[in-house]
Amino acid sequence: MLERLAAGDVRALARAVSMVEDGVAGAAELLYGCRALGRHARRVGVTGPPGAGKSTLVDRMVATLRGKGERVAVVAVDPSSPYTGGALLGDRVRMQGFAGDSGVFVRSMASRGAMGGLARGVSDVCTVIEAAGFGTILIETVGVGQDEVSVAGLADVTLLVLVPGMGDDVQSLKAGVMEVADIFVVNKSDLSGADRVEAEILAMQGLGAHDEGWLPPVVRTVASTAEGVGELLAVVDRSLAANKKPRLNTDFTDRHGLKLDHLGIAVKSIAAAKGFYELLGLEVVHEETVEHERVKTAMLPMGESRIELLEPTEEDSTIGRFLAKRGEGLHHVAVRVTGLDERFAAMQAAGVRLASDCVRVGAGGHRYFFVHPASTGGVLLELVGK
Ligand code: ZN
């Protein structure tokens, strides 16, 4: 199948995508083979409120890219839909005249219900499409809910499509929606009110902080007549060249480099508790107070890992409250990983419940974040690494 896929066989592609979506036997192997091919498409996220004309815009982008001889895939994501596999969307695109064109691949995806399933699933499907040699993948989302914003984060560049007279003003968009945009598209810009939408976007931008110097540009389009679509694609290319953001790595299956780093044990007093561990043959090699956690730590190396004793410096601290509620005992398990920042971002995107709001620096300069027990089977899990 991988051979047929790599040769661009669209029937093999459709089957491979289903295999990966359904997680059948052999799917992991297939994904591994796809990644090994090392092929990359530009992944363009297209998001925005319902009624913004995203579907028409996507169809126009497909037509324009096809006109240049590019092979284009569309992954339409609707977390609220119980349907998957593309029947409804396929009909839509067939009506737009791409039927029988092997240079266009269309797939719709719905929420699988599993935690983090959607973002991971979309990423995997994109990997398979890339293996089939498609140059561009348009990832279209139906609305601007939390799932859609997470999915938009999987793209290399994300378009936020707005229209005049949305009913709601730009200001009313939920937090996190504006931030996802690398490019703002004012669609249906032939309608009165386009100036006002653009002015509101610019006003919002003036308020926000922007990293790395890429100020999201505003592009006007009229998708129904394809006006501005060529320019939009040129701006997409410029945005990609500016290389604003690294693609999120959602590959949680990479087991290489994972190892048990330490066991964190909450104690009332390190001085009192360490005696037993010294009797066991361990030795405290490092003690440090981590101010922002209000905890004193002692590290006792044990083979490739360590015991970490944790003593609160204040009653009203994480460890202090743990002791009050549960008494002394195992507080957390720490696993050493590679790609800590990517994992934080990917887990956040996948809907994993995190117990840290960012990657932090703790004892010994180690970088870490915590995953909430609700997502790990009841164990507070610390991920540490570079
Ligand atoms: Zn720890």
Side-chain angles (χ1 to χ4, degrees), residues 261-265 297 299 306 308 310 331-334 368 370 382 384:
D261 188 83
H262 64 266
L263 299 175
I265 299 173
T297 66
M299 289 295 184
R306 298 167 291 163
E308 178 187 48
L310 303 154
H331 176 260
H332 65 268
V333 172
Y368 71 95
F370 281 99
E382 178 183 9
V384 299

Side-chain angles (χ1 to χ4, degrees), residues 149-312:
V149 168
S150 298
V151 168
L154 298 169
D156 299 317
V157 56
T158 300
L159 317 182
L160 178 58
V161 185
L162 303 170
V163 280
M166 289 191 307
D168 299 322
D169 291 334
V170 170
Q171 281 93 335
S172 70
L173 286 171
K174 284 190 215 79
V177 173
M178 290 291 281
E179 288 76 7
V180 88
D182 298 301
I183 298 169
F184 290 99
V185 180
V186 178
N187 192 31
K188 304 184 187 177
S189 64
D190 53 336
L191 298 178
S192 65
D195 287 338
R196 183 173 162 217
V197 174
E198 183 165 350
E200 286 183 1
I201 293 166
L202 295 175
M204 290 284 284
Q205 284 185 327
L207 299 173
H210 292 281
D211 47 8
E212 296 139 53
W214 174 264
L215 187 67
V218 182
V219 181
R220 293 191 181 202
T221 57
V222 182
S224 58
T225 64
E227 195 183 318
V229 172
E231 194 208 330
L232 176 59
L233 288 167
V235 174
V236 165
D237 282 339
R238 283 207 293 281
S239 172
L240 288 169
N243 198 17
K244 185 180 173 286
K245 56 180 177 181
R247 182 180 294 173
L248 293 181
N249 174 16
T250 56
D251 185 8
F252 290 103
T253 62
D254 177 18
R255 290 182 294 271
H256 304 289
L258 288 185
K259 98 183 18 168
L260 183 65
D261 188 83
H262 64 266
L263 299 175
I265 299 173
V267 298
K268 288 178 196 148
S269 157
I270 286 174
K274 72 178 179 185
F276 167 76
Y277 291 96
E278 285 169 348
L279 185 64
L280 185 65
L282 306 183
E283 185 189 354
V284 175
V285 296
H286 182 77
E287 284 196 48
E288 185 177 339
T289 297
V290 182
E291 297 295 347
H292 68 263
E293 301 279 14
R294 287 169 291 169
V295 68
K296 190 171 139 193
T297 66
M299 289 295 184
L300 301 93
M302 184 175 62
E304 284 197 324
S305 52
R306 298 167 291 163
I307 297 283
E308 178 187 48
L309 299 178
L310 303 154
E311 174 189 322

